Amino acid sequence: ACFCATRAMLSALRSRAATAYEQPRAKKMRRITYHVARGAKKFALGTGSAAWILGTTMLVMVMPLVFEIDREQQLLEWDTLGGQQVAAPKL
């Protein structure tokens, strides 16, 4: 007896859900949700592409500059020491 009542309740719930699904307000909400999700996906993909471009640009353009600045700094430090060899600590 309980199983039949549950089956009838599920059937009624399905028919109510089907009519609610076809309401103009529900259709509008589905359309809005679709466009928001599509926009978020495009934004995420565009952001990922921009991050990749920025990262590769940093590697190609900025890192050699950083290495050159570091090399120049080491040369300046060597010049301030008068070209002397710095003794390594003995262990």
Side-chain angles (χ1 to χ4, degrees):
C2 183
F3 180 70
C4 291
T6 305
R7 180 180 256 175
M9 287 179 6
L10 283 175
S11 176
L13 183 62
R14 270 192 221 111
S15 66
R16 286 187 68 190
T19 56
Y21 187 79
E22 293 301 322
Q23 294 294 318
R25 185 174 176 190
K27 287 181 179 181
K28 183 177 180 180
M29 289 303 293
R30 284 196 309 273
R31 188 171 56 248
I32 290 171
T33 304
Y34 168 78
H35 287 295
V36 168
R38 192 175 109 199
K41 181 180 175 182
K42 282 186 174 185
F43 177 76
L45 291 175
T47 305
S49 298
W52 186 85
I53 290 170
L54 182 68
T56 53
T57 301
M58 287 285 289
L59 285 174
V60 171
M61 302 293 280
V62 177
M63 290 308 291
L65 177 64
V66 170
F67 294 145
E68 186 62 33
I69 290 171
D70 185 49
R71 186 183 318 165
E72 187 174 333
Q73 183 67 32
Q74 288 178 355
L75 187 63
L76 288 173
E77 286 176 9
W78 190 75
D79 284 345
T80 58
L81 293 174
Q84 299 172 357
Q85 288 286 335
V86 179
K90 294 184 179 180
L91 298 175

